[in-house]
Amino acid sequence: MAFALPVWLVVQEELLQNGADDCGTPSCFDEYDDETLFQLFHLTRTCITFITDSIRRRMKTVTVEKVDLSVDAMVMVALNYYAQGVSSPVVMDRVGLTTTDRASYIIATVSGIIVGMSDQFILFPRTRDARGKVAYQFERLSGIPHVVGILAPAHFKIRASPYEKSSFRSFVNSQGYTSVVSQIICDSEGNILSVDKCCVGSTSEQEMWESSSEGKDIEKQFNWLVGGKGYHLSSHILTPLSDPVSDSEIRFNVAHEQILDIMRTTLGSMKRRFRCLMQLGFAQEATLHRKCNIIKACSVLHNIAKKFSVPPPPAAGKIEPLHPGKQHSVPLEICPEAVKARQKIIDEVFSSGSSSQEPPGDNITEEE
């Protein structure tokens, strides 16, 4: 899970204690039936109530420029934008907003508040016990041991001005469209464990990894993060074999792809629930922090929605594949210890003489 049960219970208890004065207060969400709520916000009533109470509590501890709207009205504007990618006229009219600029300011404010709650709802497994629990789930799923997360670049489309040629080129990714990219780590159930900074689309996943906080922290440990071909095989990132030749190597690659598919499903689920992630609007390099806040806020809300077992809206078409990453133009100097460690997994788990020739295949991610 994205955050331990004790953390969750503490959050709930504090919300109940600190939010006692708000109990029974009418909310603007009360005017909608459950079906309409889901259509507008892609969340259930109980989940929205928890989110609103969490934000209300957080706002009591931070300085926020005064807005002539109630907390639940501000949350309504933000959740509607996240879900639809635009501010719906019905919601704008309900809260009395007449300009998109004002709505944008409210969305930015709420996003910043939610990002401030990240340490409660997005937790990378740092203790031995936490890593062991996460690794057990991955091993049960694929047969690969010591995996503590799935690492991938998450690209989000943006608009950039082609007239600013130098800036525009920096946003063009290897697939030829303009995007911003964040480094995402998730667990075997699709909970987000880490969201790193937002970069221009041309940034390679290896560049992000080497400069990320998780990249620095995990260097002190010896656990695997499963990553695609755009990453370098190391003692901490487990990549597939480029040219598998034996049956055991092929089986390993199949298991590796099975794990990566969880990330594909997770990002697809996020983009269906939060359609703003399908197109984040216009971007310049100087404003990336605003896009980053929206991505991180949606990641927090994704974990909360999963905790409340809220299904994402159905897929309208094929789920977007994972970004394939940049191919290395020159041979890499790979750490010999990492090659030996990967080969040991192949020999012990996926060889014809091992007891785990086929991955278990328990698909415990949410349905597409």
Side-chain angles (χ1 to χ4, degrees), residues 14 16 99 103 115 118 124 127 131 141 187 198 207-208 213 282-283 345-346:
E14 289 183 356
L16 290 173
T99 66
V115 169
S118 296
F124 189 79
T127 67
R131 292 195 301 272
L141 170 72
D187 67 11
C198 188
E207 287 179 70
M208 285 192 294
S213 57
F282 189 82
I345 292 174
I346 294 171

Side-chain angles (χ1 to χ4, degrees), residues 1 7 23 40 53 62 77 81 85 91 104 169 203 210 230 232 241 248 256 270 297 302 304 306 332 337 349:
M1 63 178 62
V7 174
C23 290
L40 288 172
D53 288 344
V62 298
V77 172
Y81 167 76
V91 170
S104 297
R169 281 195 294 268
T203 310
E210 290 174 356
H232 301 175
L241 291 105
S248 57
H256 187 282
M270 283 183 63
H302 165 84
I304 293 175
K306 283 185 64 63
L332 297 173
E337 289 77 10
V349 180

Side-chain angles (χ1 to χ4, degrees), residues 257-366:
E257 182 63 27
Q258 184 181 21
I259 293 179
L260 279 183
D261 198 54
I262 297 171
M263 180 64 83
R264 180 184 71 90
T265 302
T266 299
L267 294 178
S269 171
M270 283 183 63
K271 290 182 178 181
R272 294 203 310 277
R273 189 188 306 280
F274 307 115
R275 291 177 184 163
C276 66
L277 298 178
M278 299 291 289
Q279 174 52 259
L280 281 172
F282 189 82
Q284 296 176 313
E285 290 190 38
T287 63
L288 287 185
H289 67 281
R290 298 177 188 175
K291 307 303 180 188
C292 183
N293 273 3
I294 290 175
I295 294 167
K296 285 187 176 181
C298 289
S299 298
V300 169
L301 297 177
H302 165 84
N303 281 357
I304 293 175
K306 283 185 64 63
K307 191 66 179 180
F308 279 89
S309 301
V310 183
K318 289 185 178 181
I319 293 179
E320 180 182 339
L322 282 182
H323 196 276
K326 291 183 178 180
Q327 297 302 308
H328 309 301
S329 56
V330 295
L332 297 173
E333 186 176 333
I334 301 176
C335 172
E337 289 77 10
V339 175
K340 290 179 182 178
R342 182 173 65 181
Q343 190 60 47
K344 182 179 180 182
I345 292 174
I346 294 171
D347 293 340
E348 293 183 352
V349 180
F350 297 99
S351 69
S352 58
S354 70
S355 59
S356 304
Q357 294 183 38
E358 296 295 333
D362 288 341
N363 191 342
I364 52 179
T365 63
E366 49 185 15

Side-chain angles (χ1 to χ4, degrees), residues 154-191:
H155 282 262
F156 305 97
K157 294 180 179 178
I158 56 96
R159 297 184 182 94
S161 173
Y163 299 105
E164 299 176 7
K165 292 184 179 180
S166 60
S167 175
F168 179 81
R169 281 195 294 268
S170 70
F171 285 104
V172 179
N173 61 34
S174 61
Q175 297 300 290
Y177 63 86
T178 52
S179 70
V180 293
V181 57
S182 288
Q183 176 181 279
I184 305 284
I185 300 175
C186 76
D187 67 11
S188 63
E189 297 178 331
N191 297 297

